[in-house]
Amino acid sequence: MSLLKVNEVQNTSGGSSITNVGKIIQVVQAHKTDGFSVGNSFAEVTGLTPSITVASGNKVLVQFTLCVSAAANVYSAQLKLRRGSTDIAVSTAATGNIRNLTNFYLTSYDSYSDTTFTNFNNMFLDTPSAGSHTYKLMLQSGYNSYNVYVNRLYNMRNYDNYGCTVSHITLMEVSA
């Protein structure tokens, strides 16, 4: 068992009230059950664009799961998280032709990886300004002439041991 002793605790404004610090104020979720496909240009995944209105100084915890399937034999899916028109939670490590992304998937070099999913899962604590904000999942295929699919397999073989999935994005306002 641990014991924590302090003389004083202050909130971010220097006051002594920490009653609501870190508390979840509201939760907004968008849930997608239908399929979606996109080619080699970033597009907003329809149905997964929730909006949230936050108070000054508060943060937004963004959590998502996007179920993605791509063509077999080394093809890719690329994802960026966006608030309004601004990409957020993207890498800064890329060099040359490599893209800075939130999530990336490369299928294996076999003829069956087009009948599997990868789950793009991520969580990001955003610090937006006060007001209303819309969050988006921007998806694209890494190759011309090959689409990427959400919630359904790239190759929809009619077998009873295959299935389709659901995706979601959840926004939580966190008090400062």
Side-chain angles (χ1 to χ4, degrees), residues 9 35 41 59-60 82 86 89 92 115 124 128 145-146 162:
V9 176
S41 182
K59 299 179 183 276
V60 176
R82 187 172 284 177
T86 303
T92 58
T115 57
F124 179 69
S145 304
Y146 289 91
Y162 284 32

Side-chain angles (χ1 to χ4, degrees), residues 62-83:
V62 181
Q63 190 274 327
F64 64 84
T65 296
L66 189 71
C67 302
V68 177
S69 185
N73 297 314
V74 195
Y75 290 94
S76 71
Q78 303 172 352
L79 180 79
K80 291 182 181 184
L81 176 61
R82 187 172 284 177
R83 177 191 357 98

Side-chain angles (χ1 to χ4, degrees), residues 30-51:
H31 207 205
K32 183 172 185 64
T33 59
D34 60 332
F36 176 81
S37 68
V38 63
N40 185 239
S41 182
F42 279 105
E44 174 185 309
V45 178
T46 59
L48 291 178
T49 55
S51 295

Side-chain angles (χ1 to χ4, degrees), residues 29-32 48 63-67 120-121 137 151 166-170:
Q29 184 179 67
H31 207 205
K32 183 172 185 64
L48 291 178
Q63 190 274 327
F64 64 84
T65 296
L66 189 71
C67 302
F120 282 165
N121 297 302
L137 298 175
N151 292 348
V166 297
S167 299
H168 76 277
I169 182 171
T170 304

Side-chain angles (χ1 to χ4, degrees), residues 10-163:
Q10 292 185 346
N11 63 25
T12 56
S13 301
S16 60
S17 173
I18 59 167
T19 307
N20 290 322
V21 174
K23 184 177 181 182
I24 301 297
I25 305 298
Q26 63 173 314
V27 177
V28 176
Q29 184 179 67
H31 207 205
K32 183 172 185 64
T33 59
D34 60 332
F36 176 81
S37 68
V38 63
N40 185 239
S41 182
F42 279 105
E44 174 185 309
V45 178
T46 59
L48 291 178
T49 55
S51 295
I52 191 167
T53 302
V54 296
S56 178
N58 287 352
K59 299 179 183 276
V60 176
L61 183 60
V62 181
Q63 190 274 327
F64 64 84
T65 296
L66 189 71
C67 302
V68 177
S69 185
N73 297 314
V74 195
Y75 290 94
S76 71
Q78 303 172 352
L79 180 79
K80 291 182 181 184
L81 176 61
R82 187 172 284 177
R83 177 191 357 98
S85 59
T86 303
D87 293 338
I88 59 174
V90 295
S91 174
T92 58
T95 60
N97 292 325
I98 298 171
R99 295 179 184 270
N100 285 314
L101 304 165
T102 305
N103 289 78
F104 173 76
Y105 171 54
L106 186 67
T107 61
S108 64
Y109 193 69
D110 65 53
S111 59
Y112 291 101
S113 60
D114 61 353
T115 57
T116 63
F117 283 107
T118 192
N119 290 325
F120 282 165
N121 297 302
N122 222 316
M123 185 179 283
F124 179 69
L125 187 61
D126 189 27
T127 308
S129 58
S132 181
H133 301 280
T134 301
Y135 290 81
K136 305 169 187 176
L137 298 175
M138 305 298 293
L139 183 67
Q140 79 169 8
S141 169
Y143 295 89
N144 289 327
S145 304
Y146 289 91
N147 283 0
V148 171
Y149 292 89
V150 173
N151 292 348
R152 58 149 286 188
L153 296 170
Y154 182 89
N155 188 339
M156 291 286 284
R157 295 179 176 133
N158 190 22
Y159 300 132
D160 62 1
N161 60 335
Y162 284 32

